Amino acid sequence: MPGKAQHFQGPQVSCCAKYLLFASNVLFWLLGAAFLAIGLWAWAEKGVLSNLSSITDLGGFDPVWLFLVVGGVMFVLGFTGCIGALRENTLLLKFFSVFLGLIFFLELTAGVLAFIFKDWIKDQLNFFINNNVKAYRDDIDLQNLIDFAQEYWSCCGAHGPNDWNLNIYFNCTDSNPSRERCGVPFSCCLKDPAEDVLNTQCGYDVRLKLELEQQSFIHTKGCAGQFEKWLQDNLIVVAGTFIGVALLQIFGICLAQNLVSDINAVKANW
């Protein structure tokens, strides 16, 4: 009709996609910052931040690295996704998509290689556990991690209790002056439900006993085998978790790419 204004409705940025990506990445960003803070705090408590050369002193795996690496990746992803969505910055959104896609590709590759090279992975797991058995007393975080693993999987050492001969405090050599000689950590011990107080000396001298006698006091199965059995028993849960994470990553990539397309369409219409 004459005199009535004609309004042209051009392409628009999807508010739903924008704020959904923003909200999810704010949470991701905060979680990443929390992981980084925990890692840095743990390093500060161990004096690593005041003496960075001490990073190389530990022979085994330092669990703090897990917090730092995971926290760093989450922080970077959360930052780029959050700011990219809020500011409608296509460069940050593309970086977010590529970085998330790279992580997804690495996870997929690792899964395929782990299935193909199962025996090699098993050998590496044994080597990893034994290497950390050697360094058991070198780092409190590593010690707590090993104790947790042995208690959770009801195991002792990589293949069995005798793997603790690799540790200078627990080995059975005559030259070992340690009171823990021929023993195992308390986390190898069978738990007595009637005990209210944890007996940290329950593993002393236990490997001086015959193997059948040891079974009455400690777990005699190795952690490598117990971990493999746990994976088989919980295959559906483990597979479901990985599939769920993969779907979330694909959804994040699609959301970011959809937002980039919307932003480009709006810019092209200017």
Side-chain angles (χ1 to χ4, degrees):
M1 291 177 64
K4 193 169 183 178
Q6 297 288 327
H7 296 284
F8 173 72
Q9 186 69 30
Q12 294 180 327
V13 174
S14 171
C15 288
C16 180
K18 175 179 176 177
Y19 290 110
L20 182 59
L21 189 64
F22 171 74
S24 60
N25 278 285
V26 165
L27 179 61
F28 218 59
W29 193 5
L30 292 174
L31 282 174
F35 270 66
L36 278 174
I38 292 170
L40 292 173
W41 171 80
W43 263 9
E45 286 292 303
K46 291 190 284 190
V48 172
L49 295 181
S50 59
N51 179 20
L52 292 178
S53 63
S54 60
I55 293 174
T56 59
D57 292 342
L58 180 64
F61 170 70
D62 187 348
V64 175
W65 276 110
L66 192 61
F67 283 93
L68 292 172
V69 172
V70 172
V73 170
M74 290 177 68
F75 186 84
V76 171
L77 270 177
F79 175 81
T80 54
C82 178
I83 303 301
L86 187 64
R87 303 292 298 174
E88 297 182 5
N89 187 308
T90 55
L91 183 62
L92 286 177
L93 287 171
K94 287 177 181 177
F95 177 83
F96 172 81
S97 298
V98 171
F99 196 9
L100 197 57
L102 179 61
I103 293 172
F104 175 75
F105 175 76
L106 290 175
E107 290 170 348
L108 188 63
T109 304
V112 172
L113 291 177
F115 180 76
I116 295 173
F117 300 104
K118 286 184 288 188
D119 293 334
W120 182 84
I121 294 291
K122 192 182 295 183
D123 291 339
Q124 292 304 305
L125 179 62
N126 291 334
F127 174 78
F128 175 78
I129 296 173
N130 283 333
N131 197 40
N132 288 296
V133 162
K134 293 178 186 177
Y136 177 73
R137 293 289 190 207
D138 295 348
D139 182 88
I140 187 63
D141 293 322
L142 174 63
Q143 184 175 313
N144 290 334
L145 179 64
I146 292 173
D147 285 334
F148 169 79
Q150 291 192 145
E151 287 179 335
Y152 185 80
W153 283 301
S154 301
C155 59
C156 193
H159 294 99
N162 286 331
D163 287 336
W164 284 97
N165 273 326
L166 295 170
N167 188 278
I168 60 172
Y169 298 99
F170 294 99
N171 71 60
C172 275
T173 57
D174 294 332
S175 59
N176 182 10
S178 171
R179 178 62 190 88
E180 295 175 309
R181 177 181 174 273
C182 285
V184 293
F186 70 90
S187 52
C188 287
C189 296
L190 297 173
K191 294 293 179 291
D192 185 353
E195 284 186 355
D196 294 327
V197 180
L198 179 66
N199 179 13
T200 57
Q201 299 179 359
C202 60
Y204 282 13
D205 304 321
V206 73
R207 286 190 294 115
L208 292 173
K209 304 177 187 295
L210 296 174
E211 189 172 338
L212 285 175
E213 288 183 86
Q214 290 180 20
Q215 293 177 6
S216 301
F217 300 94
I218 61 172
H219 301 292
T220 54
K221 293 181 179 178
C223 289
Q226 289 293 88
F227 177 67
E228 187 178 357
K229 181 178 179 297
W230 178 84
L231 281 179
Q232 292 173 350
D233 292 343
N234 296 273
L235 189 60
I236 294 176
V237 175
V238 173
T241 301
F242 278 107
I243 291 171
V245 170
L247 289 175
L248 284 174
Q249 289 173 326
I250 293 170
F251 178 70
I253 293 169
C254 293
L255 207 58
Q257 286 300 314
N258 182 66
L259 203 52
V260 169
S261 298
D262 285 352
I263 294 168
N264 287 335
V266 170
K267 286 181 177 178
N269 197 52
W270 287 353

